[in-house]
Short mmCIF file of all heavy atoms in Angstrom, two decimals:
data_model
loop_
_atom_site.label_atom_id
_atom_site.label_comp_id
_atom_site.label_asym_id
_atom_site.label_seq_id
_atom_site.Cartn_x
_atom_site.Cartn_y
_atom_site.Cartn_z
N VAL A 52 -34.99 -84.45 174.14
CA VAL A 52 -33.76 -85.05 173.40
C VAL A 52 -33.72 -86.46 173.64
O VAL A 52 -33.45 -87.32 172.60
CB VAL A 52 -32.41 -84.41 174.03
CG1 VAL A 52 -31.29 -85.25 173.52
CG2 VAL A 52 -32.19 -83.03 173.66
N THR A 53 -34.07 -87.01 174.81
CA THR A 53 -34.16 -88.48 174.98
C THR A 53 -35.24 -89.16 174.01
O THR A 53 -35.03 -90.26 173.44
CB THR A 53 -34.33 -88.72 176.49
OG1 THR A 53 -33.38 -88.27 177.14
CG2 THR A 53 -34.48 -90.34 176.68
N GLU A 54 -36.32 -88.63 174.10
CA GLU A 54 -37.52 -89.12 173.36
C GLU A 54 -37.09 -89.17 171.78
O GLU A 54 -37.46 -90.10 171.03
CB GLU A 54 -38.74 -88.25 173.62
CG GLU A 54 -40.03 -88.92 173.08
CD GLU A 54 -40.27 -90.27 173.84
OE1 GLU A 54 -40.09 -90.39 174.94
OE2 GLU A 54 -40.82 -91.07 173.05
N GLU A 55 -36.41 -88.01 171.34
CA GLU A 55 -36.29 -87.95 169.94
C GLU A 55 -35.22 -89.07 169.52
O GLU A 55 -35.32 -89.69 168.51
CB GLU A 55 -35.62 -86.54 169.57
CG GLU A 55 -35.32 -86.42 168.12
CD GLU A 55 -36.60 -86.56 167.19
OE1 GLU A 55 -37.69 -86.26 167.72
OE2 GLU A 55 -36.31 -86.72 166.06
N MET A 56 -34.19 -89.22 170.34
CA MET A 56 -33.13 -90.33 170.14
C MET A 56 -33.78 -91.65 170.22
O MET A 56 -33.49 -92.57 169.41
CB MET A 56 -32.05 -90.20 171.10
CG MET A 56 -31.06 -88.98 170.81
SD MET A 56 -29.50 -89.12 171.72
CE MET A 56 -30.10 -89.19 173.42
N LYS A 57 -34.70 -91.80 171.13
CA LYS A 57 -35.29 -93.17 171.33
C LYS A 57 -36.24 -93.56 170.09
O LYS A 57 -36.30 -94.59 169.72
CB LYS A 57 -36.30 -93.08 172.54
CG LYS A 57 -36.59 -94.15 173.29
CD LYS A 57 -37.47 -93.79 174.54
CE LYS A 57 -37.99 -95.09 175.17
NZ LYS A 57 -38.68 -94.75 176.38
N ASN A 58 -36.67 -92.49 169.45
CA ASN A 58 -37.41 -92.74 168.23
C ASN A 58 -36.65 -92.78 166.98
O ASN A 58 -37.13 -92.69 165.86
CB ASN A 58 -38.52 -91.63 168.08
CG ASN A 58 -39.62 -91.68 169.17
OD1 ASN A 58 -39.81 -92.81 169.68
ND2 ASN A 58 -40.17 -90.55 169.57
N GLY A 59 -35.36 -92.72 167.08
CA GLY A 59 -34.48 -92.86 165.95
C GLY A 59 -34.02 -91.51 165.38
O GLY A 59 -33.35 -91.53 164.32
N GLY A 60 -34.39 -90.43 165.89
CA GLY A 60 -34.05 -89.14 165.36
C GLY A 60 -32.81 -88.59 165.98
O GLY A 60 -32.21 -89.26 166.76
N LYS A 61 -32.44 -87.35 165.65
CA LYS A 61 -31.31 -86.72 166.21
C LYS A 61 -31.64 -85.19 166.54
O LYS A 61 -32.68 -84.79 165.74
CB LYS A 61 -30.20 -86.87 165.37
CG LYS A 61 -30.16 -86.30 164.05
CD LYS A 61 -28.87 -86.67 163.37
CE LYS A 61 -28.89 -86.19 161.86
NZ LYS A 61 -27.58 -86.41 161.16
N VAL A 62 -30.97 -84.66 167.44
CA VAL A 62 -31.30 -83.20 167.76
C VAL A 62 -29.91 -82.53 167.36
O VAL A 62 -28.93 -82.77 167.99
CB VAL A 62 -31.57 -83.01 169.25
CG1 VAL A 62 -31.72 -81.58 169.54
CG2 VAL A 62 -32.86 -83.89 169.58
N GLN A 63 -29.98 -81.59 166.39
CA GLN A 63 -28.81 -80.88 165.89
C GLN A 63 -28.96 -79.33 166.53
O GLN A 63 -30.04 -78.71 166.27
CB GLN A 63 -28.82 -80.75 164.55
CG GLN A 63 -28.46 -82.03 163.82
CD GLN A 63 -28.37 -82.12 162.44
OE1 GLN A 63 -29.46 -81.65 161.73
NE2 GLN A 63 -27.31 -82.40 161.79
N MET A 64 -27.95 -78.95 167.24
CA MET A 64 -27.89 -77.65 167.70
C MET A 64 -26.71 -77.02 167.03
O MET A 64 -25.51 -77.13 167.54
CB MET A 64 -27.74 -77.52 169.21
CG MET A 64 -29.02 -78.27 169.98
SD MET A 64 -28.75 -78.41 171.66
CE MET A 64 -28.91 -76.66 172.21
N VAL A 65 -26.91 -76.16 165.90
CA VAL A 65 -25.88 -75.64 165.21
C VAL A 65 -24.92 -74.84 166.11
O VAL A 65 -25.27 -73.92 166.86
CB VAL A 65 -26.43 -74.74 164.06
CG1 VAL A 65 -25.25 -74.09 163.25
CG2 VAL A 65 -27.25 -75.63 163.12
N GLY A 66 -23.61 -75.05 166.03
CA GLY A 66 -22.54 -74.45 166.72
C GLY A 66 -22.25 -75.06 168.07
O GLY A 66 -21.23 -74.85 168.61
N PHE A 67 -23.25 -76.06 168.39
CA PHE A 67 -22.90 -76.64 169.74
C PHE A 67 -22.70 -78.14 169.55
O PHE A 67 -21.63 -78.65 169.84
CB PHE A 67 -24.20 -76.56 170.63
CG PHE A 67 -24.00 -77.09 172.01
CD1 PHE A 67 -23.04 -76.63 172.87
CD2 PHE A 67 -24.69 -78.32 172.31
CE1 PHE A 67 -22.87 -77.21 174.19
CE2 PHE A 67 -24.51 -78.88 173.63
CZ PHE A 67 -23.57 -78.31 174.54
N GLY A 68 -23.64 -78.85 168.85
CA GLY A 68 -23.44 -80.30 168.53
C GLY A 68 -24.70 -80.92 168.28
O GLY A 68 -25.72 -80.41 168.24
N THR A 69 -24.56 -82.33 168.02
CA THR A 69 -25.57 -83.13 167.61
C THR A 69 -25.74 -84.37 168.72
O THR A 69 -24.80 -84.95 168.86
CB THR A 69 -25.41 -83.75 166.24
OG1 THR A 69 -25.26 -82.59 165.40
CG2 THR A 69 -26.54 -84.57 165.82
N PHE A 70 -26.87 -84.57 169.18
CA PHE A 70 -27.32 -85.67 169.91
C PHE A 70 -28.02 -86.70 169.14
O PHE A 70 -28.89 -86.33 168.31
CB PHE A 70 -28.33 -85.28 171.06
CG PHE A 70 -27.78 -84.37 172.03
CD1 PHE A 70 -27.90 -83.05 171.83
CD2 PHE A 70 -27.11 -84.65 173.17
CE1 PHE A 70 -27.44 -82.00 172.65
CE2 PHE A 70 -26.69 -83.75 174.18
CZ PHE A 70 -26.80 -82.46 173.84
#
Side-chain angles (χ1 to χ4, degrees):
V52 170
T53 301
E54 194 62 36
E55 184 64 22
M56 288 191 303
K57 212 172 167 181
N58 294 331
K61 61 183 175 180
V62 177
Q63 293 178 301
M64 298 173 69
V65 176
F67 183 71
T69 303
F70 298 89

